[in-house]
Amino acid sequence: MGLLDFAHQDYTPSWYADSAPRLAPQPALRGEVSAEVCVIGGGYTGLSTALELAERGVSVVLLEGARLGWAASGRNGGQVLSDLACGMDAVRAELGAEAARAIWAMTQEAARMVGERCQRYAIDADLHWGYLHAAVKLRQLRELADWQARAARDYGYEALRLVEQAGLSALVDSPRYVGGLFDPNCGHLHPLKYALGLARAALAAGVRVYEHSPALRIEPGTSVTVVSEQGRVRAEQVVLAGNCHLGGLAPTLRARIMPVGTYIIATAPLGEARARQLLPGDDAVSDCHFVLDYFRRSADHRLLFGGKVSYSGLPPANLKAAMRRDMLRVFPQLADVAIDSGWGGFVDITRSRAPDFGQLADNIWFAQGFSGHGVALTGLAGRLIAEAIVGQPQRLAWFQRFRHARFPGGRWLRTPALVLGMAYYRLRDWL
């Protein structure tokens, strides 16, 4: 994935792009501008950071190489999740109980932030609360029950409700699952509507936004210069919020994340009654497999069904048909339903699946590696970086304690190595 693979592109065709009211295009950067902070990347992370800084009185310029919300922020599964992708047991093992409690509390804050922002900025993002982590096997259900007990004991979190198979029909009408764990404080939304709502809020707060303005290089120093195609930004601080699309701007960061493809289909409208039968509570669902399925209803009564992974960067052959087969494994009663749209994008994962936030230099900050939990966690990352820039680094420091290793195999061999490694996890899902 080269530095300019994404530059100057419009939104990828998808149900999201078709159903989100567009934001007026922002100008490209021409000439030289200055700001206290330059944010590189116009997805959730960059927009959240810029908004948090602007509301603290900091002058901000944001550069986006394509369109705001063009990448994962406008194409993801829309699930608003707390916790971390690595799980709190891994956090506790690496950082200790005190750090785990602090980080758990912040992941809860991250989920709440989504609702607070939708309310504060009048973002109509089809937000709905309720999430089921569904077990395909009894072993997985036992693991969910164990986590429910630990969440209450170690973190004081008693909102989780274990659902046995007999009670599943009130949440999901599928023969595939043997139970699940329900969390009322997680949920789902329309990801592109949310991204563009954050963009409108950032613009209203005074952030100067430039689209189609990829950052080509960074000239470090006491003040930093970010060079784009037709202009440059001089800033006291820089925030790297490009995730998979930083390219050559920060090779040390690029080596610590891996772009992984994931894919979604949208059915034709089912009608309200049929959609409610599938998911009576309108909750988001994902299963416990490593290579998982995830799905939810849309506001216009479609099923949005996601899954698959691609470490090679190549989408499945005949994407819609491949995803439809997976959907029918969960909902065989949809055999007569057409697929209207299919699309994909990249999430950025770290080796440990823990997020990677921190500094490259005294005045260069970054956040990446959300590993599938980015809808909520990106907002927290923006808040923590903004706090640190204005002199309150204490909460960011908890995340900076994570150790992050490079992916093995170097630039050219790490993808084949991960494709082979994925075979182990697929086998584990089957057992």
Side-chain angles (χ1 to χ4, degrees), residues 140-176:
Q140 294 171 343
L141 186 60
R142 290 191 295 270
E143 291 168 353
L144 291 175
D146 288 344
W147 164 240
Q148 179 191 27
R150 293 196 307 277
R153 182 192 67 216
D154 297 337
Y155 305 105
Y157 190 69
E158 299 182 347
L160 298 174
R161 175 167 59 91
L162 192 70
V163 183
E164 302 284 352
Q165 189 167 30
L168 270 184
S169 60
L171 298 175
V172 56
D173 183 19
S174 172
R176 183 163 172 76

Side-chain angles (χ1 to χ4, degrees), residues 295-319:
F295 49 89
R296 61 191 181 88
R297 283 165 35 188
S298 70
D300 64 348
H301 311 304
R302 303 170 189 267
L303 181 71
L304 305 179
F305 187 94
K308 304 262 185 225
V309 292
S310 170
Y311 284 84
S312 68
L314 300 174
N318 197 350
L319 173 63

